[in-house]
């Protein structure tokens, strides 16, 4: 798994990548973060986090996260800001996955474009008007890490080197992602198709 960590750090050290990603984050979520409003899930948040409604609907991981970080405490700016930072990390993990497949055959601007489009996707940013958006950010992060494990497992299939640990990592991170939102199973499958198509073409 050293390769994807190196790819992730390579992207984080690239000033153009970080500047463009930060600029996109500010343009996409800056107004929302600095102008707090009561979201639809802000009012019954105690039911979700304290009384276990998250677990009942299958989003158990957020319930566990709340036991450690107390995200049920109403702090709009901090929660939203951390959610966007986690999402930026998730986008970079997905970009590192594409870098593992394509390498330097794609110029840095191609990776910047992918990450900025991913980060600013209207279907995702719309969810940030809700309080439980951290589940989305964490889900994308864990899905991306799971795909890295899966991609590594496909490369190590011939050597059988650490394949059990890699397979276990794939399953654990996918399980966590689905514990944020069940629909991340679909995102994971789309990621598999994206990797396969990218390798093919």
């Amino acid at each position: 798994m050293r390769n994807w960590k190196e790819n992730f750090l390579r992207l984080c050290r690239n000033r153009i990548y970080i500047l463009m990603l930060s600029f996109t984050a500010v343009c996409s979520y800056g107004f929302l973060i600095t102008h707090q409003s009561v979201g639809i899930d802000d009012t019954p948040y105690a039911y979700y986090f304290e009384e276990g409604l998250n677990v009942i609907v299958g989003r158990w991981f957020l319930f566990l996260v709340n036991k450690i970080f107390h995200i049920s405490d109403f702090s709009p700016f901090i929660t939203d800001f951390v959610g966007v930072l986690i999402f930026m990390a998730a986008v970079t993990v997905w970009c590192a996955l594409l870098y593992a497949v394509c390498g330097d055959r794609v110029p840095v601007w191609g990776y910047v474009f992918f990450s900025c489009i991913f980060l600013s996707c209207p279907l995702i940013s719309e969810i940030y008007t809700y309080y439980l958006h951290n589940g989305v950010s964490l889900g994308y992060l864990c899905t991306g890490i799971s795909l890295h494990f899966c991609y590594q497992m496909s490369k190590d299939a011939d050597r059988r080197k650490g394949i059990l640990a890699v397979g276990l990592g794939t399953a654990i991170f996918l399980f966590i992602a689905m514990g944020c939102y069940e629909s991340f199973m679909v995102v994971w499958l789309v990621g598999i198709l994206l990797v396969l198509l990218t390798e093919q073409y």
Side-chain angles (χ1 to χ4, degrees):
M1 293 302 293
R2 183 197 295 180
N3 289 340
W4 80 266
K5 292 177 185 176
E6 290 176 355
N7 294 337
F8 180 83
L9 293 174
R10 181 182 286 111
L11 289 168
C12 290
R13 292 190 197 104
N14 190 306
R15 291 182 181 177
I16 294 174
Y17 179 85
I18 292 298
L19 285 174
M20 292 302 296
L21 194 67
S22 301
F23 178 73
T24 304
V26 169
C27 291
S28 300
Y29 304 104
F31 183 86
L32 182 66
I33 291 174
T34 55
H35 294 76
Q36 295 85 23
S37 61
V38 179
I40 192 170
D41 283 332
D42 287 324
T43 48
Y45 69 90
Y47 289 110
Y48 284 101
F49 291 108
E50 301 298 339
E51 298 185 23
L53 185 58
N54 267 339
V55 179
I56 294 171
V57 298
R59 296 167 187 168
W60 55 270
F61 188 68
L62 294 177
F63 182 78
L64 293 180
V65 168
N66 181 59
K67 295 301 179 186
I68 301 170
F69 295 106
H70 304 290
I71 58 176
S72 63
D73 296 338
F74 188 71
S75 52
F77 176 80
I78 299 298
T79 307
D80 297 337
F81 182 68
V82 170
V84 172
L85 289 179
I86 294 172
F87 192 27
M88 290 173 68
V91 166
T92 306
V93 166
W94 279 75
C95 197
L97 175 64
L98 286 183
Y99 189 88
V101 177
C102 300
D104 293 326
R105 288 172 290 181
V106 175
V108 66
W109 285 104
Y111 296 111
V112 169
F113 180 77
F114 170 82
S115 296
C116 291
I117 291 294
F118 194 162
L119 185 65
S120 63
C121 177
L123 290 174
I124 298 172
S125 59
E126 180 182 300
I127 299 173
Y128 274 68
T129 58
Y130 297 86
Y131 181 74
L132 301 178
H133 65 268
N134 277 314
V136 175
S137 301
L138 287 169
Y140 275 110
L141 179 64
C142 291
T143 305
I145 294 173
S146 175
L147 287 168
H148 274 288
F149 274 106
C150 188
Y151 182 69
Q152 186 67 37
M153 188 167 56
S154 70
K155 293 301 176 186
D156 290 342
D158 295 334
R159 292 177 289 172
R160 304 290 178 188
K161 180 182 177 182
I163 197 166
L164 180 62
V166 174
L168 193 61
T170 301
I172 288 173
F173 280 100
L174 178 59
F175 187 58
I176 292 173
M178 291 177 65
C180 295
Y181 281 104
E182 59 279 0
S183 58
F184 275 108
M185 184 69 226
V186 178
V187 176
W188 191 83
L189 290 173
V190 170
I192 289 290
L193 291 174
L194 178 65
V195 169
L196 291 175
L197 289 173
T198 304
E199 274 201 322
Q200 183 66 28
Y201 296 106

